[in-house]
């Protein structure tokens, strides 16, 4: 984890942009303090629960990066009244008017970023839709604070190869830099130009005009990111410890007490070149067994088997033996657990237990 | 929920067997008290955390229905010392020897059930493998308590039609009744003959020789169970309340603030006749909109769209409007939340908040 954090920080330092880590991956104050530039932030969150919990731990500079519902503005104002500079994200004039009205009613200018949909994968306005962009900007200016523009290259998760990832990063950059230019040319402010996804953060070669990069899963990495080519399997800093509870020898199965409740049901790698099942099975030191995956999972049962088509031998694991299972998706697997047990490298000694939270 | 509980209870009463509900679905003391025959049980659990939490709430008759790891026996003994009749499950002589040894060491006969794999889907010994069955039974008899036999017709989840489900139920019943006969003929005890899965519990027509039925998801039901044909959509007693946060009108998308963190990533219905995406979208009263599903989900973003191939019209939902989303899998979706907000029928008024727990 420390190495993953240092790697992205060094990279973004050399590109001259600020890292605003997405704390939704860890939902842990202990991890957040290691991944943020300072205990006060900056940070990105995906729920107001995260905003509130991290604010309680001293974070003062937060973007709530999911489109704002007007019913959540009282909570935003409450956080701002506590001295937290929390900004919201939106992509409609309707939301902008609601934020401006709530700002005027409270006598507090709520900062908002306009979301650009750089690759058509989710929310945000289309790049180049100046009319919509300026309408939202002007609605905000009537009471709220137009803080800037924001985008997320979610489609980069499906890109393959350095060249494709660089193109995603450049499309991501250009979408918000162009939007910032449009706003500024119309006399509107746009101090923040925010991009971010772990694949593009690790592949962008030029971030001219961008002020900050958001990324989350880089802190732990996972099998999906290894499949994208952004990390190696040995960089993955999160695993689930499981115990062998049975065998079905004729079928080549080893049963463990980690099913989808422990791993999550994320099957993201099933669409990648290497389908990792529900996870890659390692020894206690974290070294993967050859072609051994969690092939299937029920709620509390996991079925370990050799990957289909492989000639690898099923390891000789007895009842009670323990294995580590690397996850497809660190954000999803982390969310199934109440805390992290911290180990150093291949050591088994638990040095600390870091709580994590969930909910909304 | 009350209706779902009454339905299965009435059915099993008429078949003359005890219901031992699986509490892993709700992980809630309030739900458990409504689904159990008495505050003391009987009950089934999938983790020792569940055993311990429900024991703390007064449950005294528990089967821990996941194959026992020897390292967990001290916790089992601790619960027994507190007056909880907790039984373990196993399917190897190795585990049986460990349970017998732990029993002798503690001077307490730990009760154990031998698991039969009635349909080859997961754990348990093959039906008819008398040598293995008797070896395990004799290992247990040397110190532990042979409580009986247990099976779970997990393959019934993939069965279609009443006739196929009845066959699953009969194969489930026969596998354990035959095993009980083998044990008894060898002079070994077998007081408990336990079967269970929601589809077979609702379709068995004869449970001769069976002493109890375990089932879990019947309490809430879900889209997967509706796809199996065990319930109707309107029987589903669990939904996620979400708020509209955006639109992509050219794409026919409505964005809501419920993604996979709120719904889980269970995509079980993708293998059924009707693929329900990440859930079926309903109005606030719980009435499904025509062919409207949560078509895709990121961590905190859900994308609502009309089912592919349907001519249904996208409903006119504005920013801030709320919807209810029915889950594919109640066990998985519940696990993403810290509590249940209890409403009566189509009412919006929250009558109570019932906490739920997670972890191991």
């Amino acid at each position: 984890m420390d190495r993953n954090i240092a790697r992205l920080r060094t990279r973004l330092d050399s590109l001259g942009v600020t890292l605003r880590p997405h704390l939704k991956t860890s939902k842990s104050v202990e991890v957040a303090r290691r991944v943020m530039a300072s205990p006060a932030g900056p940070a990105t969150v995906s729920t107001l629960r995260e905003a509130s919990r991290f604010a309680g731990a001293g974070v003062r500079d937060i973007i709530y990066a999911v489109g704002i519902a007007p019913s959540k503005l009282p909570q935003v104002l409450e956080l701002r009244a506590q001295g937290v500079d929390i900004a919201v994200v939106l992509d409609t004039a309707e939301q902008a008017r609601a934020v401006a009205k709530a700002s005027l009613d409270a006598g507090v200018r709520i900062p908002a970023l306009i979301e650009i949909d750089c690759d058509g994968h989710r929310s945000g306005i289309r790049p180049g839709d100046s009319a919509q962009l300026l309408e939202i900007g002007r609605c905000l200016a009537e009471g709220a604070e137009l803080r800037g523009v924001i985008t997320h290259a979610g489609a980069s998760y499906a890109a393959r190869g350095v060249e494709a990832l660089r193109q995603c990063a450049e499309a991501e950059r250009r979408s918000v830099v162009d939007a910032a230019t449009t706003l500024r040319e119309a006399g509107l402010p746009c101090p923040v130009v925010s991009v971010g996804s772990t694949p593009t953060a690790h592949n962008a070669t030029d971030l001219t005009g961008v002020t900050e990069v958001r990324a989350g899963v880089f802190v732990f990495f996972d099998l999906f990111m290894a499949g994208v080519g952004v990390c190696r399997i040995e960089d993955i800093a999160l695993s689930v410890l499981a115990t062998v509870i049975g065998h079905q020898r004729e079928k080549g199965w080893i049963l463990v007490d980690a099913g989808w409740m422990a791993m999550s049901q994320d099957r993201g790698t099933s669409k990648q070149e290497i389908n990792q099942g529900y996870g890659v099975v390692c020894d206690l030191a974290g070294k993967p067994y050859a072609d051994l995956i969690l092939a299937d999972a029920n709620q509390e049962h996991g079925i370990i088997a050799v990957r289909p088509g492989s000639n690898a031998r099923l390891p000789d694991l007895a009842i009670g033996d323990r294995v580590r299972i690397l996850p497809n998706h660190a954000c999803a697997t982390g969310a199934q657990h109440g805390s992290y047990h911290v180990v150093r490298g291949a050591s088994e000694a638990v040095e600390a237990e870091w709580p994590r939270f969930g909910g909304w």
Side-chain angles (χ1 to χ4, degrees), chain A:
Chain A
M1 185 189 81
D2 289 341
R3 203 170 57 204
N4 295 340
I5 295 169
R7 182 180 152 211
L8 186 59
R9 200 174 279 159
T10 305
R11 181 161 217 288
L12 297 183
D13 281 351
S14 76
L15 288 165
V17 290
T18 300
L19 171 61
R20 180 185 288 279
H22 207 318
L23 305 183
K24 77 181 173 79
T25 301
S26 67
K27 301 205 186 200
S28 153
V29 170
E30 296 290 349
V31 176
R33 290 205 173 129
R34 282 158 179 84
V35 79
M36 293 186 300
S38 90
T44 312
V45 301
S46 69
T47 63
L48 286 178
R49 168 73 63 93
E50 289 165 57
S52 162
R53 294 292 289 266
F54 289 118
V59 181
R60 288 292 169 268
D61 177 1
I62 297 175
I63 293 179
Y64 168 40
V66 175
I68 190 73
S71 58
K72 293 174 185 167
L73 290 170
Q75 283 172 271
V76 170
L77 283 164
E78 202 178 301
L79 283 163
R80 291 200 64 82
Q82 291 165 22
V84 180
D85 182 14
I86 178 169
V88 301
V89 167
L90 46 79
D91 63 0
T92 62
E94 200 173 345
Q95 287 163 301
R97 279 189 289 268
V99 173
K101 184 179 180 309
S103 294
L104 288 170
D105 289 351
V108 171
R109 286 186 170 266
I110 299 171
L113 295 105
I114 304 174
E115 186 171 6
I116 313 294
D117 188 16
C118 66
D119 53 18
H121 81 287
R122 193 169 69 192
S123 44
I125 64 172
R126 262 176 310 165
D129 189 345
S130 303
Q132 172 82 342
L133 178 69
L134 291 173
E135 187 195 356
I136 298 173
R138 286 181 185 126
C139 288
L140 283 172
E142 280 167 32
E145 177 195 329
L146 173 51
R147 177 68 63 91
V149 288
I150 187 167
T151 194
H152 165 61
S156 69
Y157 281 50
R160 289 298 171 271
V162 171
E163 198 40 52
L165 288 165
R166 282 186 184 159
Q167 282 170 21
C168 287
E170 176 56 15
E172 187 182 42
R173 182 193 75 84
R174 208 171 37 239
S175 73
V176 274
V177 169
D178 289 353
T181 302
T182 301
L183 290 170
R184 289 169 189 151
E185 284 177 352
L188 290 163
C190 188
V192 173
V193 180
S194 181
V195 300
S197 82
T198 287
T200 54
H202 268 301
N203 285 278
T205 50
D206 172 22
L207 288 173
T208 307
V210 166
T211 63
E212 63 177 39
V213 169
R214 306 174 330 278
V217 79
F218 75 93
V219 61
F220 295 138
F221 282 129
D222 51 31
L223 295 167
F224 189 90
M225 284 295 138
V228 173
V230 183
C231 69
R232 304 165 304 167
I233 296 270
E234 50 267 45
D235 294 325
I236 299 173
L238 192 76
S239 65
V240 171
L241 192 61
T243 302
V244 174
I245 58 169
H247 296 89
Q248 293 288 16
R249 295 188 196 278
E250 337 68 76
K251 292 177 181 165
W253 292 356
I254 298 170
L255 283 109
V256 288
D257 63 354
W260 58 252
M261 188 64 86
M263 298 307 303
S264 91
Q265 297 193 62
D266 193 292
R267 293 283 294 104
T269 60
S270 67
K271 292 166 221 141
Q272 293 185 325
E273 213 172 307
I274 303 177
N275 181 347
Q276 305 286 23
Y278 287 82
V280 162
V281 182
C282 304
D283 64 18
L284 274 182
K287 185 167 175 279
Y289 290 104
D291 282 335
L292 199 66
I293 61 173
L294 196 66
D296 206 353
N298 294 162
Q299 185 159 341
E300 297 291 347
H301 292 81
I303 296 179
I304 289 176
V306 168
R307 189 192 307 286
S310 162
N311 294 321
R313 212 183 117 267
L314 197 68
D316 192 23
L317 293 167
I319 298 276
D321 281 354
R322 290 178 308 155
V323 294
R324 290 193 177 280
I325 309 173
L326 303 177
N328 282 321
H329 189 171
C331 307
T333 302
Q336 303 297 106
H337 297 265
S339 62
Y340 302 96
H341 291 83
V342 184
V343 296
R344 192 171 296 272
S347 165
E348 271 185 62
V350 175
E351 297 194 0
E353 187 173 350
W354 294 342
R356 58 164 288 147
F357 58 87
W360 287 267

